[in-house]
Amino acid sequence: MVRAARGQWPVRTTGRPFAAGGWPAALGAALWPTALLLALALATVPAAGQADGWNPDFTTRLRIALALVLQGLGGGFTLREEAVPAGSSTLGGWPASSLSSELHLSAVPLTVTALWIAAIVVGSRLSHRDRPAGPGAVPRIAVLATSGVLLLGLAARPSVGGVTVTTDPALAALWALLLGAATAAFALHGRALHDWLSARPPMGTAVRALRTAAVATGGALLLCGVIGLAWTAGGREEGDSWWWLFVAFLMLPNLAVAVLGLAWGATLETHRAVTGGVWEFDTFALGDLGSTAGGWAVFALVLVGACCALAPGVLAARASASRGEHLLCAALVWGLFLLLVVVGSVELHTSADAGYGLGSSEAGVNTVEAVLFGALWTFGGGLLAPYLARLRPSGPGPAGAGPSGPGPKPGR
């Protein structure tokens, strides 16, 4: 493989097939995300006695923790109990009045997803720091990382005492293959991709807007995640295990999306349905926050939401003077926010052959309000932020622009 000239995509000049060479470096890169999943599973192992009436050994708890961690890659989690006497249960105290009951948890711990992607980037760059990445490096890393996810998913299916945990390792492997290939390609060939796009202004503009939106959204999630984690820690009661705080850390981006949605005016909702069609609703909005924490908390949270809405526009204004790029960046931030709202929700479904064990629960940000308020804040910030960016006392403006916009500076 030769280095292409600026503006040209690198071309393959060697005839070596995919299976030839490069596997040791790819294996070293794939070990990073696999080891990360194992480390997170070890840290997530619940202490003995967390489930009432059920105390499995350490190996079983580790496999259950691994199944929960793999949900960050779409692995799924189902807990099924067989031969349960009427009126009793071993599902952590979950009520069941039949001989068979099932609990399905749908929650994506986005911290696991983000850390897994970061591990792919680190592993890919470290394993190829002393040698050029060949054309087959990306598929090799993706295949080996996917194989690790598949093996861990098959191992995370314990069955003990009439209780069986099942996962979906095939779906987790599919997502791992797609994410691993895209991430490895970015880590190894990001510079070549940047040069290739730079020679094509329309595509370069879109990529620059996407990069700005990703940076701004990441910063907003980090700020709101710290607020959500502090909120969760503040609600911890005396005697509660700190293990739940680590679980909250694994759900940190999910908490961040909830905090950001609340700051922008959306309502946090919890729906619970039981047998017989009875629905129970519980909501939490800015008014409820004012009732529990005071008006200063509402003001501070809205201020955080305003900063998160203005940041993408300010960054886009400093990167380019094009109003179209500013609006494109706002649209991308809005789309990323809605994607995280959908992915970050939590669903819990239970079923039983008979009795009151049937039900479902859902928790997350109100989707309709997220669409409306998200559009209002992101596009409003995108329109207002360029004017705020001009108020900075000094410093260069966007490329090709002076302090007051495009054109020659005074004295030229």
Side-chain angles (χ1 to χ4, degrees):
M1 180 177 180
V2 298
R3 186 175 298 275
R6 183 177 178 86
Q8 296 182 352
W9 188 251
V11 295
R12 178 177 177 176
T13 59
T14 175
R16 291 192 306 170
F18 160 72
W23 286 102
L27 180 60
L31 286 177
W32 283 78
T34 305
L36 171 73
L37 294 176
L38 285 173
L40 291 176
L42 285 171
T44 314
V45 172
Q50 289 289 335
D52 298 335
W54 191 43
N55 188 22
D57 57 18
F58 176 81
T59 303
T60 301
R61 296 200 307 270
L62 176 61
R63 296 170 71 183
I64 294 174
L66 187 58
L68 292 172
V69 167
L70 284 176
Q71 285 197 108
L73 296 172
F77 181 86
T78 301
L79 194 64
R80 183 172 181 81
E81 181 184 32
E82 300 286 352
V84 181
S88 65
S89 175
T90 60
L91 296 180
W94 190 270
S97 59
S98 67
L99 296 180
S100 177
S101 55
E102 186 175 278
L103 183 149
H104 177 72
L105 177 64
S106 177
V108 180
L110 292 174
T111 299
V112 176
T113 310
L115 291 177
W116 190 85
I117 291 175
I120 288 281
V121 173
V122 173
S124 299
R125 291 181 175 175
L126 288 180
S127 62
H128 293 84
R129 66 182 184 275
D130 297 328
R131 71 186 72 181
V138 170
R140 280 193 287 263
I141 293 174
V143 167
L144 290 176
T146 300
S147 301
V149 171
L150 182 61
L151 292 176
L152 293 178
L154 293 174
R157 310 179 77 178
S159 178
V160 57
V163 178
T164 303
V165 175
T166 59
T167 61
D168 194 346
L171 183 59
L174 175 61
W175 281 112
L177 181 63
L178 297 176
L179 287 175
T183 305
F186 168 78
L188 298 177
H189 305 295
R191 180 60 61 87
L193 177 62
H194 177 270
D195 294 341
W196 184 75
L197 291 173
S198 297
R200 294 159 176 80
M203 298 181 65
T205 299
V207 171
R208 186 167 57 246
L210 178 60
R211 182 177 56 207
T212 303
V215 170
T217 303
L221 291 180
L222 182 60
L223 176 60
C224 294
V226 171
I227 296 174
L229 193 62
W231 191 356
T232 303
R236 174 180 173 270
E237 299 180 357
E238 186 177 357
D240 288 348
S241 172
W242 285 104
W243 174 75
W244 294 106
L245 191 59
F246 179 77
V247 175
F249 167 74
L250 294 182
M251 303 288 290
L252 189 62
N254 309 64
L255 290 174
V257 171
V259 172
L260 183 58
L262 185 63
W264 283 353
T267 303
L268 307 183
E269 294 182 336
T270 300
H271 302 165
R272 184 173 184 270
V274 296
T275 303
V278 179
W279 283 85
E280 298 178 356
F281 297 89
D282 191 14
T283 61
F284 189 85
L286 286 175
D288 301 301
L289 178 62
S291 301
T292 57
W296 66 269
V298 176
F299 173 77
L301 190 60
V302 173
L303 183 61
V304 168
C307 294
C308 294
L310 290 172
V314 172
L315 293 176
R318 294 188 175 186
S320 172
S322 171
R323 182 54 60 91
E325 184 172 336
H326 302 165
L327 294 179
L328 176 59
C329 180
L332 291 172
V333 171
W334 183 45
L336 289 174
F337 171 67
L338 295 181
L339 176 64
L340 292 172
V341 166
V342 175
V343 176
S345 61
V346 178
E347 297 182 6
L348 179 68
H349 301 279
T350 61
S351 61
D353 293 339
Y356 56 85
L358 177 64
S360 63
S361 300
E362 300 179 7
V365 182
N366 184 288
T367 307
V368 176
E369 294 181 358
V371 172
L372 296 178
F373 288 114
L376 177 65
W377 281 94
T378 54
F379 285 101
L383 292 173
L384 182 61
Y387 298 99
L388 296 179
R390 295 178 184 176
L391 299 179
R392 65 186 186 276
S394 62
S404 299
K409 296 182 180 180
R412 293 285 181 97

